[in-house]
Amino acid sequence: MKKRIITTIAVMSIGLSLIGCGANADNESAATEQTTKSQGASIEGTWQTGSINVDKENPGPEYYVQFTDSEINYGHMSDDDNFEVEYSDKISSFNEISPGIYRVQAESKNGSQYTFQTSEQDSTILNYYGTWNEEEFSDNYSGGDSLLKCSF
């Protein structure tokens, strides 16, 4: 499983550096500046999904993502480079689980529960797990739904 995760991250990093916004070069995620949701925390900046839109006229990430203190906003970039929200999911919890490692748990409108967690190897990656239960993370990891920090 660990090999699959590392391979997925490597493929995402290479592919997304060629299209989309790519990962932040200084490896310092705005996520590391936050503490808890109760203190009004959010993850700064724009992120992109690892899944790629294969539209030949407009290739790039399937979604761009921005966090507020209460929501995860999914959307796209307009022609004039403005973030436009398509839909939002409610953040249920936001915690620093160890120094520099943040966990955001959210729920979609249809009731699906999921988690974004800072990668221990690279703070510009938020790994996606389709569950809130940490014991089920390895079976519910999705590289395509994981997020990379944009550098713009």
Side-chain angles (χ1 to χ4, degrees), residues 51-79:
S51 54
I52 302 298
N53 178 1
V54 293
D55 179 4
K56 291 180 182 177
E57 291 182 25
N58 199 12
E62 185 175 0
Y63 286 105
Y64 287 95
V65 179
Q66 292 183 346
F67 293 82
T68 70
D69 62 346
S70 62
E71 294 181 321
I72 301 174
N73 295 316
Y74 294 84
H76 64 276
M77 300 305 284
S78 67
D79 291 338

Side-chain angles (χ1 to χ4, degrees), residues 33-124:
E33 299 171 6
Q34 306 304 319
T35 54
T36 64
K37 184 180 178 205
S38 62
Q39 295 175 331
S42 67
I43 296 174
E44 297 295 322
T46 302
W47 297 72
Q48 68 181 40
T49 57
S51 54
I52 302 298
N53 178 1
V54 293
D55 179 4
K56 291 180 182 177
E57 291 182 25
N58 199 12
E62 185 175 0
Y63 286 105
Y64 287 95
V65 179
Q66 292 183 346
F67 293 82
T68 70
D69 62 346
S70 62
E71 294 181 321
I72 301 174
N73 295 316
Y74 294 84
H76 64 276
M77 300 305 284
S78 67
D79 291 338
D80 56 352
D81 292 328
N82 289 317
F83 179 74
E84 295 183 3
V85 177
E86 292 180 31
Y87 70 93
S88 300
D89 288 343
K90 182 181 178 212
I91 293 176
S92 297
S93 70
F94 183 103
N95 297 298
E96 182 175 23
I97 59 171
S98 64
I101 306 296
Y102 296 87
R103 182 178 292 165
V104 180
Q105 294 182 316
E107 188 167 351
S108 68
K109 290 189 188 327
N110 70 6
S112 296
Q113 297 175 334
Y114 62 93
T115 302
F116 284 115
Q117 183 171 304
T118 309
S119 167
E120 292 181 15
Q121 292 80 29
D122 185 344
S123 64
T124 65

